[in-house]
Amino acid sequence: MHYFKAVAESGGFGKAARLLNVSQSAVSEQVRDLEAEIAVPLIDRSNRNIRLTPHGEVFLTRVKEVLQLADGAVTAARRSFRGEEGSLSIGFFVGGIGSSFPKLIHAFRQKYKDIAVSLVEMTPVAQHDALVAGSIDIAFTRALPGTLKAELRSEIFYTERLSLVLPKGHPLAERASISVQELRAERFVINDRKNSPAVFDKIIALCDEAGFSPNIIATASVSSGVIALVESGEGIALLPKGSQLLGSSELVFVPVQDAAASVDLVVAWSAKHERKIHQSFLSLARQFRM
């Protein structure tokens, strides 16, 4: 098709050969093979100055379209190879994304307009499973369990302090800050370990360091459920500061003083499924770390 187009646009086999940097006989042979393959005469050779047949004129129009699409396909493949085109699925959970996450997503979309980004809300454990399965590409999640550290990669995106969540009528609601040791007599509402093991384990560890086991009276699968239970008067909760986005005017968030009262939000991905697009995103994400 390239040879035929060159002949049609240059007006002769000799000129086409010089443009293509091949022999004239090679051009002539390729065009004859093309005519034989489609069983249609494309070039009128009856005159000294060749010209296209009516069928050749129609064919040339479509050939230009095909070659343009082919060039576009090559360009797209090269952009994909460089991590500049394709699709990227990102897992996240509300209350655990921080203020820089929306800015990062916006900046990535602006910089890589040919990458289709989809955001999927899911719990941290569900994100881990999705990374392993390859159903998402990137996860903004809690620290990876030891069993997955060989298969998945992660980097800390930011470290988040814990806050005490309680109804505004609670006796501790006026405190500027508080230590975990002061909560030994409280009823706890806590994240279900099955969905949020990092937060669950951190709270248990903090209480253990303070010399008591928390009186857990209810659990919820996500932080919004924990907050709803607190607002209902079921008990108090320790949650990452970002969960304040899920609160209401009926709740108070008091910073926890203990030095170890924090959890990490990590950006994670699968080593097995890693592509250049992952690298493009991670390179930008590192500029938005908090």
Side-chain angles (χ1 to χ4, degrees):
M1 288 185 179
H2 276 293
Y3 283 22
F4 167 74
K5 179 173 176 287
V7 170
E9 292 181 339
S10 66
F13 289 98
K15 292 181 180 178
R18 288 191 292 274
L19 288 171
L20 296 169
N21 198 28
V22 296
S23 67
Q24 182 173 334
S25 61
V27 175
S28 179
E29 183 180 351
Q30 286 289 324
V31 174
R32 288 190 183 278
D33 288 346
L34 176 63
E35 290 175 308
E37 183 175 342
I38 66 174
V40 174
L42 301 173
I43 295 178
D44 183 354
R45 298 173 176 81
S46 60
N47 296 315
R48 183 174 180 179
N49 295 323
I50 67 166
R51 64 174 184 270
L52 298 183
T53 65
H55 330 299
E57 295 283 0
V58 172
F59 190 67
L60 177 62
T61 300
R62 299 301 176 90
V63 161
K64 290 179 179 179
E65 295 173 359
V66 169
L67 293 178
Q68 185 175 12
L69 287 172
D71 290 341
V74 171
T75 299
R78 288 172 175 166
R79 287 177 58 80
S80 177
F81 181 74
R82 295 194 300 266
E84 299 172 354
E85 186 167 328
S87 62
L88 194 70
S89 177
I90 301 172
F92 74 101
F93 62 98
V94 177
I97 52 177
S99 60
S100 64
F101 176 80
K103 296 175 184 176
L104 165 61
I105 300 302
H106 178 73
F108 185 78
R109 282 181 165 145
Q110 290 297 109
K111 184 174 182 178
Y112 298 99
K113 296 181 183 296
D114 293 322
I115 295 179
V117 177
S118 59
L119 302 177
V120 186
E121 183 184 358
M122 54 179 66
T123 65
V125 169
Q127 289 186 62
H128 300 164
D129 293 341
L131 286 176
V132 172
S135 55
I136 64 172
D137 300 303
I138 300 287
F140 283 82
T141 184
R142 295 299 178 197
L144 302 176
T147 55
L148 292 179
K149 287 186 177 179
E151 189 167 358
L152 302 180
R153 302 285 182 268
S154 69
E155 296 177 6
I156 295 176
F157 192 61
Y158 71 89
T159 298
E160 190 172 18
R161 297 292 300 172
L162 295 182
S163 292
L164 170 65
V165 188
L166 65 171
K168 65 180 183 181
H170 193 283
L172 299 175
E174 299 298 322
R175 294 285 297 273
S177 63
I178 200 162
S179 66
V180 174
Q181 189 175 17
E182 298 176 83
L183 306 176
R184 65 172 60 244
E186 298 293 332
R187 291 152 47 95
F188 278 74
V189 179
I190 195 169
N191 289 86
D192 188 337
R193 191 180 191 283
K194 182 176 67 174
N195 293 300
S196 300
V199 174
F200 181 95
D201 291 348
K202 173 60 71 170
I203 293 170
I204 298 301
L206 286 170
C207 292
D208 183 64
E209 289 171 9
F212 70 96
S213 295
N215 177 21
I216 301 173
I217 54 90
T219 62
S221 59
V222 292
S223 295
S224 57
V226 172
I227 287 175
L229 289 170
V230 172
E231 191 168 354
S232 298
E234 293 299 303
I236 59 95
L238 292 174
L239 288 174
K241 184 180 178 181
S243 299
Q244 195 163 347
L245 294 170
L246 306 170
S248 72
S249 59
E250 298 302 312
L251 294 175
V252 174
F253 288 75
V254 180
V256 177
Q257 300 169 356
D258 303 57
S262 63
V263 290
D264 293 331
L265 181 82
V266 305
V267 54
W269 67 98
S270 167
K272 177 182 177 181
H273 300 293
E274 185 175 348
R275 297 172 288 143
K276 285 290 183 67
I277 286 180
H278 290 69
Q279 297 173 18
S280 296
F281 182 84
L282 292 169
S283 177
L284 186 62
R286 292 179 183 113
Q287 301 175 32
F288 282 80
R289 283 176 175 164
M290 296 173 61

